Amino acid sequence: MLNEGLLEKLKVLTESAKYDVSCASSGIERSGKSKTGGIGNATAFGICHSWASDGRCISLLKTLMTNDCIYNCAYCVNRSDNDIKRVSMTADEVALLTIEFYRRNYIEGLFLSSAIEVNPDYTMEKIVQVLRILRMRYLFNGYIHVKAIPGADPMLIRQAGELADRMSVNIEFSSVESLKLLAPQKNPQKLFLPMAQIKQGIDEVREDFGKYRHKSKFVPAGQSTQMIVGATRDSDRSMLFSAQNLYRRFGLKRVYYSAYVPVNSDSHLPSLQTTPPLLREHRLYQADWLLRFYHFDATEILSEHEQNFDLDFDPKMNWALRNLEHFPMEINQADYRMLLRVPGIGPVSAKRIVEQRKIGTVGYDDLKKMGIVVKRAKYFITCKGLFYGDYRLEPEYLKRVFGPKPEYEQMSLFSEIHG
Ligand code: SF4
């Protein structure tokens, strides 16, 4: 049974875990029906959402194993210098909480992270224990995402990979300089070792399956990471290039970007009054989407001369405005990859265009039915040789059409009467 002491620990640890976005969305407010108190209300506990490998959205208990960290990362609320309440759960306690919450239908799985307690091996060993208890004692088949702790024995990473659905290592920054400055105890080389090991494990299972049709599993939902946006001078370009390298080198499923939220005062960090750069974070997600689904290369999205995004335009529109020589593009001739570069056309609608062209030519009236955002696309395409935009392709004009509109002060209905 769950006791008050354990729930108190959970409250502290879910609060400490909320800055990690590498399992997707933030907390949920879900009140339970129990009138007897105790665990009848999940509102206070961290529940986040993630996506299973079959695309289902699932809710997860998101917690740290401990916030008692031996490291002193400048940006982190749990750093060793901070005078905060420190608590740790045992592996049995984490497993019990997961099962009890699962039985009450609060969650479908677990996202378990941890501060570095004692040393990396000790921490990773505890994470493996949680996995063993859940999978073997409780026969829990639900989704589990755990952290791979850099510096831990590869054998422990292997054991975790055989039991977890997803694993993640947070690289936090795109440059070694930033990591050295803000997280001096983290070794940049060691960050990539577990990623390489996880990739190798996933590849081996895939190969074995191809050869023997074995159904063995190793991190079946893949691995992910997180980068913090705006805590250092790392540019958008360097973050995007890091993401591209991680996707290519380690086959990551997702890179998450987290706008920096100041929690500590430190001479190497932005001030405590800094607002989180949410729009920048949003632009990075959009650009990341272009890397993964639109066949863009990072060099095309941000050139050497542009270190950061123009926040007024999404990265695809920005690319189009810089490359107007490709437009207007004839919708009946452009290949799939070029169609993807037209603002307003996504992978699904580009496929529909290509399919439709096998039957006959695509007309302007067909575009809406195919899911194309015509009010954007019409400036960049021709249909059967006809242009439907209401002006010529001219960068300044298009910037006015698609850029932010100036804000006018709203006139009061009564200003004339009283003025
Ligand atoms: S290792 Fe660094 S980022 Fe992780 S919990 Fe400890 S202080 Fe925080």
Side-chain angles (χ1 to χ4, degrees):
M1 286 302 291
L2 301 178
N3 59 48
E4 282 301 322
L6 181 52
L7 291 173
E8 197 46 46
K9 280 191 201 177
L10 182 64
K11 208 169 169 180
V12 174
L13 292 171
T14 52
E15 184 63 22
S16 299
K18 74 180 181 191
Y19 299 102
D20 194 323
V21 296
S22 56
C23 81
S25 73
S26 54
I28 188 175
E29 303 267 315
R30 185 198 292 172
S31 297
K33 294 193 176 80
S34 166
K35 290 182 185 150
T36 53
I39 54 159
N41 191 326
T43 308
F45 305 117
I47 296 183
C48 73
H49 291 117
S50 195
W51 281 266
S53 43
D54 60 4
R56 253 176 349 111
C57 181
I58 46 181
S59 37
L60 306 175
L61 169 63
K62 178 180 175 181
T63 183
L64 296 187
M65 187 97 174
T66 177
N67 67 351
D68 194 0
C69 200
I70 57 166
Y71 290 179
N72 196 37
C73 307
Y75 51 88
C76 178
V77 70
N78 303 315
R79 70 179 181 180
S80 56
D81 272 3
N82 276 2
D83 183 16
I84 56 167
K85 186 173 178 180
R86 305 283 176 177
V87 293
S88 293
M89 288 195 278
T90 64
D92 276 310
E93 287 174 331
V94 177
L96 179 69
L97 279 166
T98 308
I99 289 300
E100 290 293 326
F101 277 24
Y102 180 78
R103 285 183 181 142
R104 285 160 172 77
N105 266 343
Y106 296 161
I107 55 156
E108 293 162 277
L110 171 68
F111 172 54
L112 181 62
S113 185
S114 185
I116 311 298
E117 188 178 16
V118 185
N119 60 47
D121 278 346
Y122 180 89
T123 311
M124 196 69 221
E125 173 86 53
K126 272 178 81 176
I127 291 174
V128 172
Q129 275 177 29
V130 174
L131 285 160
R132 284 208 184 109
I133 296 169
L134 280 170
R135 297 293 196 215
M136 287 154 196
R137 187 190 304 164
Y138 292 112
L139 302 178
F140 179 69
N141 283 320
Y143 181 91
I144 307 178
H145 173 167
V146 296
K147 288 283 157 194
I149 306 294
D153 187 328
M155 185 55 78
L156 293 169
I157 305 282
R158 175 94 213 167
Q159 289 165 358
E162 285 165 1
L163 297 169
D165 291 284
R166 172 166 284 194
M167 294 182 78
S168 54
V169 182
N170 287 357
I171 69 160
E172 311 290 19
F173 304 108
S174 57
S175 73
V176 173
E177 294 74 38
S178 295
L179 194 74
K180 280 187 178 159
L181 190 68
L182 298 183
Q185 287 132 316
K186 292 189 178 177
N187 178 335
Q189 299 311 319
K190 286 190 178 163
L191 281 183
F192 296 114
L193 290 176
M195 281 190 185
Q197 197 191 341
I198 294 166
K199 180 181 186 304
Q200 193 186 348
I202 293 171
D203 290 348
E204 281 168 10
V205 165
R206 203 172 289 145
E207 234 173 76
D208 281 357
F209 185 73
K211 275 192 215 152
Y212 315 113
R213 302 276 144 196
H214 279 170
K215 272 226 161 180
S216 60
K217 282 188 176 167
F218 193 87
V219 197
Q223 56 176 329
S224 58
T225 191
Q226 159 180 293
M227 276 190 267
I228 304 172
V229 184
T232 66
R233 288 169 186 269
D234 288 350
S235 66
D236 295 338
R237 188 171 191 264
S238 82
M239 278 187 270
L240 201 62
F241 271 67
S242 294
Q244 179 166 278
N245 281 335
L246 292 170
Y247 286 127
R248 289 180 181 171
R249 236 175 110 192
F250 302 115
L252 260 67
K253 275 276 190 255
R254 285 298 302 270
V255 174
Y256 291 95
Y257 305 91
S258 175
Y260 171 66
V261 180
V263 289
N264 298 325
S265 175
D266 190 292
S267 59
H268 298 308
L269 287 169
S271 87
L272 282 171
Q273 280 68 45
T274 308
T275 32
L278 293 173
L279 185 52
R280 206 178 148 196
E281 176 195 283
H282 180 58
R283 292 286 182 246
L284 276 159
Y285 273 116
Q286 289 175 320
D288 187 279
W289 203 255
L290 297 184
L291 295 181
R292 290 186 298 133
F293 302 110
Y294 286 73
H295 300 280
F296 272 84
D297 189 276
T299 49
E300 296 175 289
I301 301 171
L302 283 171
S303 72
E304 242 177 276
H305 312 292
E306 299 160 297
Q307 290 297 317
N308 292 303
F309 292 115
D310 179 341
L311 295 180
D312 287 345
F313 302 96
D314 69 70
K316 187 171 156 185
M317 177 61 78
N318 202 34
W319 181 87
L321 293 175
R322 281 189 284 109
N323 292 278
L324 285 175
E325 69 277 11
H326 294 289
F327 303 107
M329 202 179 278
E330 171 53 45
I331 215 85
N332 287 292
Q333 283 169 4
D335 67 20
Y336 174 72
R337 285 185 179 225
M338 287 312 284
L339 286 172
L340 284 177
R341 301 198 165 215
V342 177
I345 297 183
V348 174
S349 43
K351 270 191 197 120
R352 284 183 185 146
I353 293 171
V354 172
E355 283 304 307
Q356 174 68 26
R357 289 193 319 215
K358 291 178 188 164
I359 308 166
T361 48
V362 177
Y364 188 70
D365 291 340
D366 299 325
L367 298 180
K368 257 192 192 160
K369 290 180 223 150
M370 292 176 170
I372 289 155
V373 186
V374 175
K375 67 175 186 205
R376 281 168 91 77
K378 68 180 179 182
Y379 297 91
F380 301 94
I381 55 171
T382 55
C383 264
K384 300 182 191 173
L386 294 176
F387 181 64
Y388 292 84
D390 52 10
Y391 208 74
R392 67 183 186 280
L393 274 173
E394 199 268 312
E396 289 316 310
Y397 171 73
L398 292 172
K399 280 183 182 172
R400 281 201 300 279
V401 172
F402 295 111
K405 305 287 172 275
E407 285 177 23
Y408 297 104
E409 197 184 328
Q410 194 160 15
M411 283 182 67
S412 162
L413 259 182
F414 304 103
S415 53
E416 279 190 17
I417 300 169
H418 297 294

